[in-house]
Amino acid sequence: MIVLALVRIGYGHGEGHPPMADFSGVRNLFGVCVYSFMCQHSLPSLVTPVSSKRHLTRLVFLDYVLILAFYGLLSFTAIFCFRGDSLMDMYTLNFARCDIVGLAAVRFFLGLFPVFTISTNFPIIAVTLRNNWKTLFHREGGTYPWVVDRVVFPTITLVPPVLVAFCTHDLESLVGITGAYAGTGIQYVIPAFLVYHCRKDTQLAFGYGTVNKHRSPFRHTFWVGFVLLWAFSCFFFVTANIVLSESKV
């Protein structure tokens, strides 16, 4: 998509004329930023196989720089290639038109690309969520009846996303809402409290004078508070965006 957009801009067919600054989208930006933070999911697969953790900080930094570069390239090529009112929430659908991509196979592939990714990720995420439900309601020494285990838990896992998919096509609002509420708790609040309490337990277990040679440059407690403050900002701004948008309607 980056290459196709650059080619279209290079031929002088770019339709985008973005303003220098537009603050109307800042309110929803906070919720979307939570989703962009999901690039942290790649960190365990990068860190675990590394036998020598000596250059780990530089490796992780390079990973984030590459992620930022691709986000920037994808965003800037999009806003200069397409008009603002023609940009779809599902960006790949912009390339499904004949005047953008001449080869039908490429158009179909890009149009169906979200289907491919969701088809591979959704079963894994659904199974994980089902197992989390089972663990949450698990009683020591007890087992679930067949109906509960095979019907109830899969149903409460699958029904909500299916209903949301049928009820709305507004991906921008959906990403902002789920990112600001569920995403903020999962990716900001819970990790911040885990880090804080794990550091306290580590000091009790190994002593207060112990220094971890692999400690993070963000080891100060200030950063835990900063993450919680950022989480509250995401929650506040997205809520304000929803309220103001509904009041205009």
Side-chain angles (χ1 to χ4, degrees), residues 2-25:
I2 293 172
V3 172
L4 289 172
L6 286 174
V7 169
R8 192 164 188 255
I9 295 171
Y11 279 122
H13 299 154
E15 302 171 349
H17 300 283
M20 184 64 68
D22 184 3
F23 296 98
S24 62

PDB file of all heavy atoms in Angstrom, residues 2-25:
ATOM      1  N   ILE A   2       1.975   1.230   0.725  1.00  0.00           N
ATOM      2  CA  ILE A   2       2.880   2.370   0.735  1.00  0.00           C
ATOM      3  C   ILE A   2       3.450   2.605  -0.659  1.00  0.00           C
ATOM      4  O   ILE A   2       3.489   3.740  -1.157  1.00  0.00           O
ATOM      5  CB  ILE A   2       4.003   2.141   1.766  1.00  0.00           C
ATOM      6  CG1 ILE A   2       3.433   2.146   3.189  1.00  0.00           C
ATOM      7  CG2 ILE A   2       5.085   3.214   1.636  1.00  0.00           C
ATOM      8  CD1 ILE A   2       4.429   1.739   4.252  1.00  0.00           C
ATOM      9  N   VAL A   3       3.892   1.537  -1.315  1.00  0.00           N
ATOM     10  CA  VAL A   3       4.483   1.656  -2.651  1.00  0.00           C
ATOM     11  C   VAL A   3       3.447   2.145  -3.656  1.00  0.00           C
ATOM     12  O   VAL A   3       3.721   3.045  -4.471  1.00  0.00           O
ATOM     13  CB  VAL A   3       5.083   0.303  -3.091  1.00  0.00           C
ATOM     14  CG1 VAL A   3       5.519   0.358  -4.547  1.00  0.00           C
ATOM     15  CG2 VAL A   3       6.255  -0.074  -2.197  1.00  0.00           C
ATOM     16  N   LEU A   4       2.252   1.583  -3.623  1.00  0.00           N
ATOM     17  CA  LEU A   4       1.202   1.992  -4.558  1.00  0.00           C
ATOM     18  C   LEU A   4       0.831   3.465  -4.371  1.00  0.00           C
ATOM     19  O   LEU A   4       0.624   4.194  -5.344  1.00  0.00           O
ATOM     20  CB  LEU A   4      -0.038   1.119  -4.371  1.00  0.00           C
ATOM     21  CG  LEU A   4       0.084  -0.328  -4.846  1.00  0.00           C
ATOM     22  CD1 LEU A   4      -1.140  -1.137  -4.416  1.00  0.00           C
ATOM     23  CD2 LEU A   4       0.245  -0.383  -6.357  1.00  0.00           C
ATOM     24  N   ALA A   5       0.753   3.894  -3.124  1.00  0.00           N
ATOM     25  CA  ALA A   5       0.425   5.298  -2.859  1.00  0.00           C
ATOM     26  C   ALA A   5       1.548   6.215  -3.344  1.00  0.00           C
ATOM     27  O   ALA A   5       1.284   7.274  -3.934  1.00  0.00           O
ATOM     28  CB  ALA A   5       0.174   5.504  -1.370  1.00  0.00           C
ATOM     29  N   LEU A   6       2.795   5.817  -3.123  1.00  0.00           N
ATOM     30  CA  LEU A   6       3.922   6.629  -3.589  1.00  0.00           C
ATOM     31  C   LEU A   6       3.952   6.712  -5.116  1.00  0.00           C
ATOM     32  O   LEU A   6       4.248   7.770  -5.680  1.00  0.00           O
ATOM     33  CB  LEU A   6       5.235   6.037  -3.063  1.00  0.00           C
ATOM     34  CG  LEU A   6       5.530   6.255  -1.580  1.00  0.00           C
ATOM     35  CD1 LEU A   6       6.778   5.493  -1.166  1.00  0.00           C
ATOM     36  CD2 LEU A   6       5.706   7.741  -1.271  1.00  0.00           C
ATOM     37  N   VAL A   7       3.663   5.600  -5.782  1.00  0.00           N
ATOM     38  CA  VAL A   7       3.629   5.595  -7.249  1.00  0.00           C
ATOM     39  C   VAL A   7       2.541   6.539  -7.757  1.00  0.00           C
ATOM     40  O   VAL A   7       2.754   7.328  -8.689  1.00  0.00           O
ATOM     41  CB  VAL A   7       3.409   4.160  -7.779  1.00  0.00           C
ATOM     42  CG1 VAL A   7       3.104   4.175  -9.269  1.00  0.00           C
ATOM     43  CG2 VAL A   7       4.618   3.291  -7.492  1.00  0.00           C
ATOM     44  N   ARG A   8       1.385   6.492  -7.124  1.00  0.00           N
ATOM     45  CA  ARG A   8       0.274   7.366  -7.546  1.00  0.00           C
ATOM     46  C   ARG A   8       0.618   8.836  -7.314  1.00  0.00           C
ATOM     47  O   ARG A   8       0.320   9.688  -8.155  1.00  0.00           O
ATOM     48  CB  ARG A   8      -0.989   6.980  -6.771  1.00  0.00           C
ATOM     49  CG  ARG A   8      -2.265   7.608  -7.322  1.00  0.00           C
ATOM     50  CD  ARG A   8      -3.475   6.889  -6.760  1.00  0.00           C
ATOM     51  NE  ARG A   8      -4.693   7.346  -7.419  1.00  0.00           N
ATOM     52  CZ  ARG A   8      -5.580   8.171  -6.864  1.00  0.00           C
ATOM     53  NH1 ARG A   8      -5.381   8.632  -5.644  1.00  0.00           N
ATOM     54  NH2 ARG A   8      -6.661   8.532  -7.525  1.00  0.00           N
ATOM     55  N   ILE A   9       1.247   9.128  -6.193  1.00  0.00           N
ATOM     56  CA  ILE A   9       1.659  10.507  -5.923  1.00  0.00           C
ATOM     57  C   ILE A   9       2.736  10.931  -6.917  1.00  0.00           C
ATOM     58  O   ILE A   9       2.742  12.063  -7.417  1.00  0.00           O
ATOM     59  CB  ILE A   9       2.173  10.631  -4.468  1.00  0.00           C
ATOM     60  CG1 ILE A   9       1.025  10.373  -3.472  1.00  0.00           C
ATOM     61  CG2 ILE A   9       2.772  12.011  -4.227  1.00  0.00           C
ATOM     62  CD1 ILE A   9       1.488  10.258  -2.040  1.00  0.00           C
ATOM     63  N   GLY A  10       3.686  10.015  -7.236  1.00  0.00           N
ATOM     64  CA  GLY A  10       4.759  10.326  -8.173  1.00  0.00           C
ATOM     65  C   GLY A  10       4.257  10.630  -9.571  1.00  0.00           C
ATOM     66  O   GLY A  10       4.845  11.460 -10.284  1.00  0.00           O
ATOM     67  N   TYR A  11       3.170   9.999  -9.978  1.00  0.00           N
ATOM     68  CA  TYR A  11       2.587  10.269 -11.290  1.00  0.00           C
ATOM     69  C   TYR A  11       1.725  11.536 -11.298  1.00  0.00           C
ATOM     70  O   TYR A  11       1.146  11.892 -12.328  1.00  0.00           O
ATOM     71  CB  TYR A  11       1.744   9.081 -11.749  1.00  0.00           C
ATOM     72  CG  TYR A  11       2.563   7.956 -12.337  1.00  0.00           C
ATOM     73  CD1 TYR A  11       2.511   6.687 -11.791  1.00  0.00           C
ATOM     74  CD2 TYR A  11       3.372   8.176 -13.457  1.00  0.00           C
ATOM     75  CE1 TYR A  11       3.264   5.643 -12.325  1.00  0.00           C
ATOM     76  CE2 TYR A  11       4.130   7.144 -13.998  1.00  0.00           C
ATOM     77  CZ  TYR A  11       4.077   5.879 -13.435  1.00  0.00           C
ATOM     78  OH  TYR A  11       4.834   4.866 -13.970  1.00  0.00           O
ATOM     79  N   GLY A  12       1.630  12.196 -10.164  1.00  0.00           N
ATOM     80  CA  GLY A  12       0.851  13.418 -10.081  1.00  0.00           C
ATOM     81  C   GLY A  12      -0.635  13.217  -9.919  1.00  0.00           C
ATOM     82  O   GLY A  12      -1.422  14.142 -10.145  1.00  0.00           O
ATOM     83  N   HIS A  13      -1.041  12.028  -9.506  1.00  0.00           N
ATOM     84  CA  HIS A  13      -2.459  11.732  -9.334  1.00  0.00           C
ATOM     85  C   HIS A  13      -2.916  11.819  -7.873  1.00  0.00           C
ATOM     86  O   HIS A  13      -4.023  11.405  -7.548  1.00  0.00           O
ATOM     87  CB  HIS A  13      -2.772  10.328  -9.876  1.00  0.00           C
ATOM     88  CG  HIS A  13      -2.491  10.189 -11.338  1.00  0.00           C
ATOM     89  ND1 HIS A  13      -2.187   8.976 -11.932  1.00  0.00           N
ATOM     90  CD2 HIS A  13      -2.446  11.111 -12.333  1.00  0.00           C
ATOM     91  CE1 HIS A  13      -1.980   9.157 -13.218  1.00  0.00           C
ATOM     92  NE2 HIS A  13      -2.133  10.457 -13.493  1.00  0.00           N
ATOM     93  N   GLY A  14      -2.045  12.302  -7.029  1.00  0.00           N
ATOM     94  CA  GLY A  14      -2.412  12.427  -5.622  1.00  0.00           C
ATOM     95  C   GLY A  14      -3.524  13.436  -5.418  1.00  0.00           C
ATOM     96  O   GLY A  14      -3.454  14.552  -5.960  1.00  0.00           O
ATOM     97  N   GLU A  15      -4.533  13.080  -4.666  1.00  0.00           N
ATOM     98  CA  GLU A  15      -5.701  13.933  -4.461  1.00  0.00           C
ATOM     99  C   GLU A  15      -5.709  14.615  -3.101  1.00  0.00           C
ATOM    100  O   GLU A  15      -6.553  15.473  -2.838  1.00  0.00           O
ATOM    101  CB  GLU A  15      -6.983  13.094  -4.602  1.00  0.00           C
ATOM    102  CG  GLU A  15      -7.112  12.396  -5.951  1.00  0.00           C
ATOM    103  CD  GLU A  15      -8.277  11.415  -5.976  1.00  0.00           C
ATOM    104  OE1 GLU A  15      -8.840  11.143  -4.885  1.00  0.00           O
ATOM    105  OE2 GLU A  15      -8.617  10.931  -7.069  1.00  0.00           O
ATOM    106  N   GLY A  16      -4.802  14.224  -2.242  1.00  0.00           N
ATOM    107  CA  GLY A  16      -4.825  14.741  -0.882  1.00  0.00           C
ATOM    108  C   GLY A  16      -4.163  16.102  -0.760  1.00  0.00           C
ATOM    109  O   GLY A  16      -3.085  16.340  -1.303  1.00  0.00           O
ATOM    110  N   HIS A  17      -4.824  16.992  -0.066  1.00  0.00           N
ATOM    111  CA  HIS A  17      -4.279  18.316   0.253  1.00  0.00           C
ATOM    112  C   HIS A  17      -4.547  18.578   1.731  1.00  0.00           C
ATOM    113  O   HIS A  17      -5.391  19.412   2.088  1.00  0.00           O
ATOM    114  CB  HIS A  17      -4.919  19.394  -0.622  1.00  0.00           C
ATOM    115  CG  HIS A  17      -4.704  19.181  -2.088  1.00  0.00           C
ATOM    116  ND1 HIS A  17      -3.511  19.466  -2.717  1.00  0.00           N
ATOM    117  CD2 HIS A  17      -5.530  18.682  -3.044  1.00  0.00           C
ATOM    118  CE1 HIS A  17      -3.599  19.168  -4.002  1.00  0.00           C
ATOM    119  NE2 HIS A  17      -4.819  18.690  -4.233  1.00  0.00           N
ATOM    120  N   PRO A  18      -3.841  17.872   2.608  1.00  0.00           N
ATOM    121  CA  PRO A  18      -4.118  17.992   4.051  1.00  0.00           C
ATOM    122  C   PRO A  18      -3.720  19.363   4.574  1.00  0.00           C
ATOM    123  O   PRO A  18      -2.739  19.960   4.109  1.00  0.00           O
ATOM    124  CB  PRO A  18      -3.235  16.890   4.655  1.00  0.00           C
ATOM    125  CG  PRO A  18      -2.124  16.703   3.671  1.00  0.00           C
ATOM    126  CD  PRO A  18      -2.735  16.939   2.328  1.00  0.00           C
ATOM    127  N   PRO A  19      -4.472  19.894   5.520  1.00  0.00           N
ATOM    128  CA  PRO A  19      -4.111  21.179   6.134  1.00  0.00           C
ATOM    129  C   PRO A  19      -2.874  21.016   7.016  1.00  0.00           C
ATOM    130  O   PRO A  19      -2.486  19.904   7.369  1.00  0.00           O
ATOM    131  CB  PRO A  19      -5.352  21.528   6.968  1.00  0.00           C
ATOM    132  CG  PRO A  19      -5.971  20.202   7.274  1.00  0.00           C
ATOM    133  CD  PRO A  19      -5.708  19.333   6.077  1.00  0.00           C
ATOM    134  N   MET A  20      -2.271  22.136   7.335  1.00  0.00           N
ATOM    135  CA  MET A  20      -1.089  22.110   8.182  1.00  0.00           C
ATOM    136  C   MET A  20      -1.402  21.490   9.546  1.00  0.00           C
ATOM    137  O   MET A  20      -0.614  20.724  10.090  1.00  0.00           O
ATOM    138  CB  MET A  20      -0.550  23.525   8.373  1.00  0.00           C
ATOM    139  CG  MET A  20       0.746  23.586   9.182  1.00  0.00           C
ATOM    140  SD  MET A  20       2.122  22.752   8.349  1.00  0.00           S
ATOM    141  CE  MET A  20       2.353  23.866   6.959  1.00  0.00           C
ATOM    142  N   ALA A  21      -2.573  21.787  10.079  1.00  0.00           N
ATOM    143  CA  ALA A  21      -2.983  21.230  11.370  1.00  0.00           C
ATOM    144  C   ALA A  21      -4.503  21.210  11.431  1.00  0.00           C
ATOM    145  O   ALA A  21      -5.161  22.137  10.956  1.00  0.00           O
ATOM    146  CB  ALA A  21      -2.415  22.042  12.531  1.00  0.00           C
ATOM    147  N   ASP A  22      -5.042  20.135  11.999  1.00  0.00           N
ATOM    148  CA  ASP A  22      -6.485  20.005  12.176  1.00  0.00           C
ATOM    149  C   ASP A  22      -6.715  19.336  13.526  1.00  0.00           C
ATOM    150  O   ASP A  22      -6.444  18.152  13.696  1.00  0.00           O
ATOM    151  CB  ASP A  22      -7.097  19.176  11.053  1.00  0.00           C
ATOM    152  CG  ASP A  22      -8.629  19.107  11.159  1.00  0.00           C
ATOM    153  OD1 ASP A  22      -9.181  19.758  12.066  1.00  0.00           O
ATOM    154  OD2 ASP A  22      -9.243  18.411  10.340  1.00  0.00           O
ATOM    155  N   PHE A  23      -7.178  20.134  14.484  1.00  0.00           N
ATOM    156  CA  PHE A  23      -7.283  19.643  15.857  1.00  0.00           C
ATOM    157  C   PHE A  23      -8.601  18.932  16.143  1.00  0.00           C
ATOM    158  O   PHE A  23      -8.838  18.504  17.268  1.00  0.00           O
ATOM    159  CB  PHE A  23      -7.111  20.808  16.843  1.00  0.00           C
ATOM    160  CG  PHE A  23      -5.749  21.436  16.792  1.00  0.00           C
ATOM    161  CD1 PHE A  23      -5.525  22.596  16.072  1.00  0.00           C
ATOM    162  CD2 PHE A  23      -4.683  20.845  17.458  1.00  0.00           C
ATOM    163  CE1 PHE A  23      -4.264  23.162  16.002  1.00  0.00           C
ATOM    164  CE2 PHE A  23      -3.415  21.403  17.406  1.00  0.00           C
ATOM    165  CZ  PHE A  23      -3.200  22.563  16.675  1.00  0.00           C
ATOM    166  N   SER A  24      -9.456  18.793  15.134  1.00  0.00           N
ATOM    167  CA  SER A  24     -10.757  18.166  15.377  1.00  0.00           C
ATOM    168  C   SER A  24     -10.623  16.675  15.688  1.00  0.00           C
ATOM    169  O   SER A  24     -11.500  16.092  16.329  1.00  0.00           O
ATOM    170  CB  SER A  24     -11.669  18.363  14.154  1.00  0.00           C
ATOM    171  OG  SER A  24     -11.102  17.739  13.004  1.00  0.00           O
ATOM    172  N   GLY A  25      -9.548  16.046  15.238  1.00  0.00           N
ATOM    173  CA  GLY A  25      -9.387  14.612  15.475  1.00  0.00           C
ATOM    174  C   GLY A  25      -8.566  14.265  16.694  1.00  0.00           C
ATOM    175  O   GLY A  25      -8.338  13.078  16.975  1.00  0.00           O
TER     176      GLY A  25
END
